[in-house]
Amino acid sequence: MYHAAFMQRAIALSQEALTHPGTEPFGAVVVKDGRIVGEGWNHSLVNFDPTSHGEVEALRDACWKLQTVDLTGCELLHLMRALRAVRGGDADRRHRALVLRRLAGRVGRSVRHPEA
């Protein structure tokens, strides 16, 4: 269930990351039943952890909040790369920077966003 508000939240997280030293502007959200259940952005540099990407942080947050490792029925939206849009560039390019993944169990399968 893709919704522009979820995409906007991932972008807002990316923008917020720019204000925190040692983080990178790669925001992500996990959505279940029409609400955000997990959020994150890239903490790899500050945590000295190459696995601390935005989507991984969002998945960890969702698992913690839902108290499960089974994210069946959830969707993950995340920025694939930092674009000028995150730093104030043109708004249309932001849409192409997001990836939607439908999650099944503990394995995610990528799907193409309908507006990409």
Side-chain angles (χ1 to χ4, degrees):
M1 171 185 178
Y2 172 79
H3 191 278
F6 303 140
M7 178 179 68
Q8 291 302 321
R9 181 62 185 150
I11 292 168
L13 288 167
S14 298
Q15 292 169 330
E16 187 176 342
L18 291 172
T19 67
H20 296 271
T23 62
E24 297 289 326
F26 299 95
V29 296
V30 176
V31 177
K32 183 171 185 164
D33 299 326
R35 65 183 182 90
I36 294 174
V37 296
E39 297 182 336
W41 66 69
N42 188 307
H43 288 88
S44 293
L45 297 175
V46 73
N47 290 344
F48 304 104
D49 179 358
T51 68
S52 192
H53 289 252
E55 60 273 26
V56 174
E57 293 292 316
L59 292 169
R60 288 174 179 154
D61 188 43
C63 288
W64 178 256
K65 287 177 178 170
L66 297 173
Q67 293 292 286
T68 185
V69 294
D70 184 356
L71 296 178
T72 300
C74 292
E75 295 177 332
L76 172 68
L77 279 118
H78 65 95
L79 285 171
M80 281 183 63
R81 59 190 179 276
L83 295 177
R84 286 176 301 160
V86 175
R87 293 187 168 101
D90 86 73
D92 291 335
R93 291 196 54 184
R94 291 187 290 203
H95 301 283
R96 288 182 232 138
L98 285 153
V99 171
L100 170 67
R101 298 176 192 272
R102 290 194 175 89
L103 304 176
R106 289 180 276 171
V107 178
R109 182 175 71 78
S110 295
V111 296
R112 186 163 201 68
H113 182 277
E115 294 179 18

